[in-house]
Amino acid sequence: MDVPHVKREDYQLTDISDDGYLTLLRENGDLREDLKLPDSELGAQLRSEFESGKELLCTVLHSCGEECVIAIKTNTALEK
C-alpha cells in the first residue's frame, strides 16, 4: 500500500496580485509566487484580512504533487 507523503509549511503573506496569485515569504527569505488564492470562503477571508492590514501566515499543505493553502492565522509577532 502506498502512503502519501504530506508536508505542512507556514509562509508569511506579503502580497496578493491582481490575478489572484499569492506572494509568500519562507522563513529563509525565499519568495514563492506560484500559489493561487483559494476559490473558497478561506480565500475571501484571506483577501479581506490582508486588505485590512493584518499580517498573516498561510499554512500550505503539500501532498501527492499538489499544494494549496489550507489555513491562515494572524501573525501577532509582526502586527503593527
Side-chain angles (χ1 to χ4, degrees):
M1 174 190 282
D2 289 331
V3 178
H5 177 71
V6 178
K7 182 179 175 188
R8 181 180 170 142
E9 194 170 359
D10 287 333
Y11 297 89
Q12 181 182 346
L13 177 63
T14 60
D15 195 20
I16 301 174
S17 69
D18 292 337
D19 58 355
Y21 281 90
L22 305 174
T23 302
L24 302 169
L25 181 65
R26 286 189 170 124
E27 285 185 13
N28 66 4
D30 290 343
L31 284 178
R32 289 193 63 173
E33 299 177 310
D34 60 336
L35 290 177
K36 271 193 93 77
L37 186 68
D39 291 329
S40 63
E41 185 178 317
L42 177 64
Q45 178 187 3
L46 196 154
R47 183 179 292 277
S48 172
E49 290 189 19
F50 179 74
E51 288 175 353
S52 72
K54 292 185 180 179
E55 296 287 338
L56 300 172
L57 290 176
C58 296
T59 301
V60 176
L61 192 68
H62 313 265
S63 180
C64 301
E66 298 287 326
E67 296 179 293
C68 64
V69 176
I70 60 161
I72 59 171
K73 57 188 168 188
T74 304
N75 190 354
T76 54
L78 296 175
E79 286 290 312
K80 298 173 184 166

